[in-house]
Amino acid sequence: MKKIKLAIIGCGAVAEVFHIPTLQRMPEFEIVALVDANEERAKELKNKYSLNCETFSDYKKVLSKDIDAVFILTPPKFHSQIAIECAEAGKHIFCEKPMETSLEKAKDMVEASEKAGVKLMVGLNFRFIPQFKKVHELIEKGFLGHLIGASSTFFTNASVWPSKSKFQYSREGGGALFEMGCHHMDLIRWYLGDIRNVFGNIKTLNKDITIDDTANVYMEFKNGAAANLAVVWGDLSINEIRVYGDGGFIYANGSKNEVLFTPKGVVAQAPIRIKADKKISAYHEEFRHFFECIMEDRTPVVNGTEGYKTLESTLAAYESYEKGIFVEVTKK
Ligand SMILES: NC(=O)c1ccc[n+]([C@@H]2O[C@H](COP(=O)([O-])OP(=O)(O)OC[C@H]3O[C@@H](n4cnc5c(N)ncnc54)[C@H](O)[C@@H]3O)[C@@H](O)[C@H]2O)c1
């Protein structure tokens, strides 16, 4: 089997905890370079995982190398610059979420990848969590009938995440909604379609940080459905979503293997428990999908346009809160 030769750009927490150990075990990939602005960090991870690869402090060094793809795992404000140069050098791109910090930069990434004819996949990996993937499958099969709405709750403890740069606590790259809420915003969009407008209520309740840790977002969709999203950085860990239509109701829990379906008309009866496919991990599934898209010339399920739309909806929620009004996301 042909392996995809790749460079990892950004050797921080997510590279160490998820990407390198997952990619290293996959026969589909060969890590040939680790890049970090702090090259000592790249060397540290090379040694930790006993990788036979080069290390660099400047991503430009990999542009001329025999490398098929790059994984961009830096804080978001560096994503577009690196992605555009890598696309121009003919490398396929896997870029972590949030796609960028502005829509203009995200659009430039999409255009550069299209012009160069390379794949651009955004790391909104909740679409690969089996329970959430199952919800999408059931919706596509018509279990819910005409979609009416969704409600999601996503609470995490950001303070335990071992980020090297702590970028998530800065205006440029963070905030609970921007950094974590984008995962659920993306899921809701995947289930219900394009968002017409949003209303955001975005607060900082923890006195030790200056960016948002609590966000409630109300969304109206082009198809008439409505949804709300609650995101909190605190001590609790909750990762749940409910989607309903005129044919039934689905509850999925991203932390437990739990997908419950209640068909229309069922009263006082336990919901039907549906098994989600147990795979190795959502990251493994996500990276496998990226590999298949490259090898089979397919469009990634979270391509640049999808990443752009999720960013657009997320930023619109912040704008809504600043202005105190609904903000239109999609005019068409
Ligand atoms: N999908 C997920 O489950 C998930 C989980 C955690 C983080 N993330 C995303 O991954 C990205 C990285 O997060 P993290 O927590 O690992 O951050 P981090 O701060 O721990 O690491 C970022 C690394 O990038 C390096 N870096 C910064 N600028 C660079 C540049 N121009 N060139 C090369 N290296 C550079 C830094 O030195 C640092 O080592 C973010 O976009 C974050 O939102 C995704």
Side-chain angles (χ1 to χ4, degrees):
M1 181 173 68
K2 179 184 174 340
K3 281 180 186 278
I4 297 287
K5 289 185 192 166
L6 59 90
I8 289 179
I9 304 175
C11 296
V14 83
E16 180 171 12
V17 177
F18 295 125
H19 292 60
I20 294 176
T22 304
L23 289 163
Q24 189 186 29
R25 291 192 201 105
M26 295 180 69
E28 295 90 340
F29 296 101
E30 181 184 353
I31 300 170
V32 298
L34 293 182
V35 183
D36 198 283
N38 169 11
E39 197 179 343
E40 286 311 308
R41 174 67 185 165
K43 286 185 176 154
E44 184 188 329
L45 294 193
K46 174 184 167 165
N47 292 336
K48 174 170 178 176
Y49 290 106
S50 306
L51 292 170
N52 180 16
C53 70
E54 293 185 278
T55 61
F56 303 102
S57 59
D58 185 350
Y59 68 87
K60 289 179 194 290
K61 293 271 169 55
V62 303
L63 299 177
S64 58
K65 296 265 172 199
D66 176 22
I67 282 171
D68 305 302
V70 293
F71 273 59
I72 303 174
L73 313 180
T74 65
K77 68 177 178 180
F78 303 109
H79 288 177
S80 62
Q81 184 191 341
I82 300 172
I84 290 166
E85 287 186 48
C86 289
E88 287 169 355
K91 316 297 183 203
H92 298 291
I93 294 151
F94 179 97
C95 177
E96 260 310 330
K97 51 49 69 175
M99 188 171 173
E100 243 294 349
T101 53
S102 79
L103 287 179
E104 294 70 30
K105 288 180 176 180
K107 187 163 172 257
D108 290 345
M109 291 167 74
V110 175
E111 286 175 358
S113 64
E114 286 175 354
K115 191 170 168 203
V118 296
K119 305 292 171 197
L120 169 59
M121 179 162 168
V122 181
L124 287 155
N125 60 311
F126 278 35
R127 295 196 193 192
F128 295 87
I129 293 176
Q131 301 88 301
F132 294 145
K133 196 174 172 188
K134 182 60 78 178
V135 173
H136 186 257
E137 188 188 312
L138 295 174
I139 291 170
E140 290 292 295
K141 285 181 176 165
F143 276 58
L144 294 188
H146 175 72
L147 295 170
I148 297 171
S151 168
S152 100
T153 313
F154 189 28
F155 290 16
T156 57
N157 186 347
S159 65
V160 300
W161 178 249
S163 164
K164 293 286 154 195
S165 57
K166 298 289 174 199
F167 71 93
Q168 69 269 41
Y169 295 117
S170 76
R171 277 270 158 229
E172 277 182 312
L177 179 62
F178 186 73
E179 167 59 11
M180 293 301 296
C182 63
H183 279 301
H184 271 231
M185 184 75 90
D186 185 63
L187 281 181
I188 293 173
R189 279 193 49 256
W190 195 35
Y191 298 154
L192 298 183
D194 284 342
I195 295 172
R196 188 187 298 283
N197 57 44
V198 300
F199 189 87
N201 186 358
I202 301 168
K203 306 272 188 196
T204 306
L205 301 180
N206 179 340
K207 293 185 182 55
D208 297 333
I209 59 173
T210 54
I211 36 124
D212 57 287
D213 56 17
T214 304
N216 286 281
V217 182
Y218 176 73
M219 292 154 261
E220 291 175 343
F221 290 78
K222 278 171 70 180
N223 61 10
N228 58 67
L229 158 67
V231 181
V232 174
W233 274 352
D235 299 330
L236 289 169
S237 179
I238 305 173
N239 186 6
E240 298 176 338
I241 198 152
R242 295 162 178 80
V243 192
Y244 42 98
D246 60 10
F249 169 89
I250 301 175
Y251 164 87
N253 189 318
S255 307
K256 299 180 196 159
N257 191 358
E258 200 165 65
V259 182
L260 305 176
F261 172 59
T262 307
K264 177 187 172 184
V266 172
V267 181
Q269 187 183 309
I272 300 162
R273 191 172 292 272
I274 294 170
K275 270 199 179 159
D277 307 323
K278 267 221 143 181
K279 294 279 168 58
I280 297 170
S281 78
Y283 293 100
H284 181 277
E285 291 301 299
E286 182 186 31
F287 304 158
R288 173 81 203 169
H289 177 70
F290 181 58
F291 172 82
E292 286 169 358
C293 288
I294 294 172
M295 300 309 275
E296 297 164 19
D297 194 17
R298 283 162 42 198
T299 304
V301 64
V302 202
N303 63 5
T305 304
E306 286 295 292
Y308 177 95
K309 286 184 177 185
T310 292
L311 180 67
E312 183 181 41
S313 310
T314 312
L315 294 177
Y318 282 95
E319 185 187 339
S320 156
Y321 181 60
E322 278 160 23
K323 295 181 175 167
I325 55 168
F326 269 99
V327 166
E328 198 170 19
V329 179
T330 314
K331 289 200 175 72
K332 287 160 263 159

